[in-house]
Amino acid sequence: MTMGFSRVPLLRRFPVSSPALPYSSSLQSNRKINISASLSTTEESISSLIQHTPVRTRWKPMCLYFTQGKCTKMDDPMHIDTFNHNCSLELMRNAARLENLKQQEFEYFLVLDLEGKVEILEFPVLLFDAKTMDVVDLFHRFVRPTKMHEERLNQYIEGKYGKLGVDRVWHDTATPFAEVIEQFEVWLGERQLWRNELGGCLNNAAFVTCGNWDLKTKVPQQCTIAGMKLPPYFMEWINLKDVFLNFYKRRAPGMLSMMRELQIPLSGSHHLGIDDSNNIARVIHHMLTDGALLQVTAKRNPRSPEKVEFLFKNRIV
């Protein structure tokens, strides 16, 4: 199953009855990440990938309370049968294509696709393991704007998320951007991907976005609105569009065009950040199995963070 779905019938019945919890208690049984693991594509690692090929299951929309650590229906069989509570891509793997894998410069990719034009409304990050070729964890928060009038905000959310049937979830769970960043840093630290004491940069991980807008433009704007300094882990990123252009020698100006080029069907709802991040992760999976190397495409000047250097000569403008 591919194209859009409606979450209205079930998700709107589930009020949040539990307080916000650190996300570490939710996905995949507190999986511990070994940052020192090797990324070499040996026969042993390829064999491991083949042996752990997941079985294709019926597609289900993700429970958006679960992604934020707030699902209170985990003991409800109907809810479990209706909504997905697993972040894995569950992709079938082709043994022959695994031979194309290249050793990546990073062990983990943080797949980010923000939503919200006036202020950020959704902050989803999928943790993609370059060795297992799968999403192993996620951080997802809906973000409550701080500078918008309540009536205008309600209209904005109804227009943005109402048509997807998830506006109730947004109103139940959204928190201000500064709190989201605090929770995100806890999440990064628990997974040994970031330590403030070490200068605040990421550890063996890099953000992957579909374009430069998310980290070049929107995050700095939101930090200014929130009255906070731009965190140092947002100083560089991988624009998947530029990697796609240079690897395949084909121009794909957006996520949907990349998916069409690679014949990947759309999963979930376009412009729901968590679903778009999932689809971008599926593009990454396909590109890595084709032999692509994901390298940083943009860096900020440490002395003048507003200045960004683009590292690829051929890029999507």
Side-chain angles (χ1 to χ4, degrees):
M1 188 178 298
T2 56
M3 294 297 290
F5 56 85
S6 172
R7 289 188 169 94
V8 177
L10 285 172
L11 278 181
R12 290 191 178 192
R13 296 180 187 172
F14 300 146
V16 175
S17 58
S18 57
L21 299 173
Y23 195 77
S24 59
S25 62
S26 54
L27 290 174
Q28 299 204 349
S29 304
N30 287 326
R31 179 184 183 274
K32 297 296 183 181
I33 294 175
N34 180 9
I35 295 295
S36 63
S38 169
L39 280 178
S40 58
T41 54
T42 60
E43 291 182 3
E44 180 180 355
S45 63
I46 292 176
S47 174
S48 175
L49 282 170
I50 297 171
Q51 291 172 9
H52 290 87
T53 297
V55 177
R56 230 180 252 283
T57 57
R58 173 175 61 90
W59 181 88
K60 297 183 288 187
M62 182 70 76
C63 171
L64 300 182
Y65 290 103
F66 174 77
T67 61
Q68 301 177 83
K70 299 178 181 179
C71 181
T72 60
K73 299 290 183 178
M74 295 299 289
D75 58 349
D76 183 337
M78 180 179 293
H79 177 78
I80 296 300
D81 184 61
T82 304
F83 295 103
N84 184 17
H85 296 77
N86 178 14
C87 66
S88 171
L89 295 177
E90 296 187 341
L91 295 175
M92 304 299 287
R93 298 189 178 105
N94 185 319
R97 292 183 66 205
L98 290 175
E99 296 180 359
N100 297 326
L101 291 177
K102 288 198 168 49
Q103 182 170 334
Q104 299 296 314
E105 296 179 9
F106 300 97
E107 297 187 14
Y108 297 95
F109 299 116
L110 297 167
V111 185
L112 170 70
D113 192 76
L114 302 174
E115 290 295 331
K117 294 181 179 179
V118 180
E119 292 192 45
I120 293 175
L121 299 177
E122 188 178 355
F123 189 95
V125 178
L126 301 186
L127 182 61
F128 188 102
D129 187 323
K131 184 178 182 181
T132 65
M133 301 281 289
D134 202 358
V135 173
V136 295
D137 209 342
L138 64 81
F139 177 91
H140 182 221
R141 294 291 185 273
F142 286 116
V143 185
R144 183 173 296 279
T146 56
K147 301 296 183 182
M148 295 180 66
H149 187 274
E150 190 69 20
E151 183 179 353
R152 174 71 183 100
L153 175 59
N154 290 336
Q155 293 174 349
Y156 191 30
I157 296 306
E158 179 62 30
K160 170 68 178 174
Y161 289 118
K163 61 185 178 182
L164 302 179
V166 300
D167 50 328
R168 170 65 184 275
V169 189
W170 189 95
H171 283 293
D172 281 346
T173 61
T175 54
F177 181 73
E179 294 181 25
V180 169
I181 291 299
E182 288 179 5
Q183 295 169 13
F184 182 54
E185 291 181 353
V186 171
W187 182 86
L188 287 173
E190 289 174 345
R191 285 145 188 80
Q192 303 176 30
L193 298 172
W194 171 82
R195 284 181 63 186
N196 195 34
E197 312 88 79
L198 299 179
C201 297
L202 294 177
N203 181 22
N204 271 329
F207 282 103
V208 180
T209 60
C210 186
N212 293 308
W213 176 85
D214 302 81
L215 292 181
K216 176 182 180 291
T217 304
K218 200 60 198 174
V219 167
Q221 286 179 352
Q222 193 68 53
C223 286
T224 299
I225 292 172
M228 57 185 289
K229 186 178 179 180
L230 181 69
Y233 45 79
F234 289 134
M235 296 293 282
E236 64 180 35
W237 60 91
I238 298 169
N239 178 357
L240 197 61
K241 295 180 185 179
D242 290 347
V243 178
F244 188 100
L245 172 64
N246 284 271
F247 179 68
Y248 291 112
K249 311 302 180 187
R250 288 179 285 178
R251 182 182 177 84
M255 182 193 79
L256 293 179
S257 56
M258 284 192 283
M259 295 181 75
R260 282 194 296 268
E261 287 283 347
L262 300 178
Q263 298 183 347
I264 301 172
L266 181 70
S267 176
S269 294
H270 188 31
H271 294 311
L272 180 62
I274 190 66
D275 284 353
D276 282 350
S277 297
N278 180 271
N279 282 313
I280 293 168
R282 293 165 69 217
V283 172
I284 292 173
H285 179 278
H286 195 292
M287 292 178 65
L288 294 186
T289 56
D290 279 349
L293 178 65
L294 269 59
Q295 299 173 297
V296 168
T297 62
K299 285 187 176 184
R300 294 186 180 278
N301 186 320
R303 293 188 177 86
S304 302
E306 70 280 0
K307 297 180 180 179
V308 176
E309 179 186 5
F310 299 105
L311 306 180
F312 281 29
K313 181 179 179 181
N314 297 322
R315 62 188 188 90
I316 303 290
V317 180

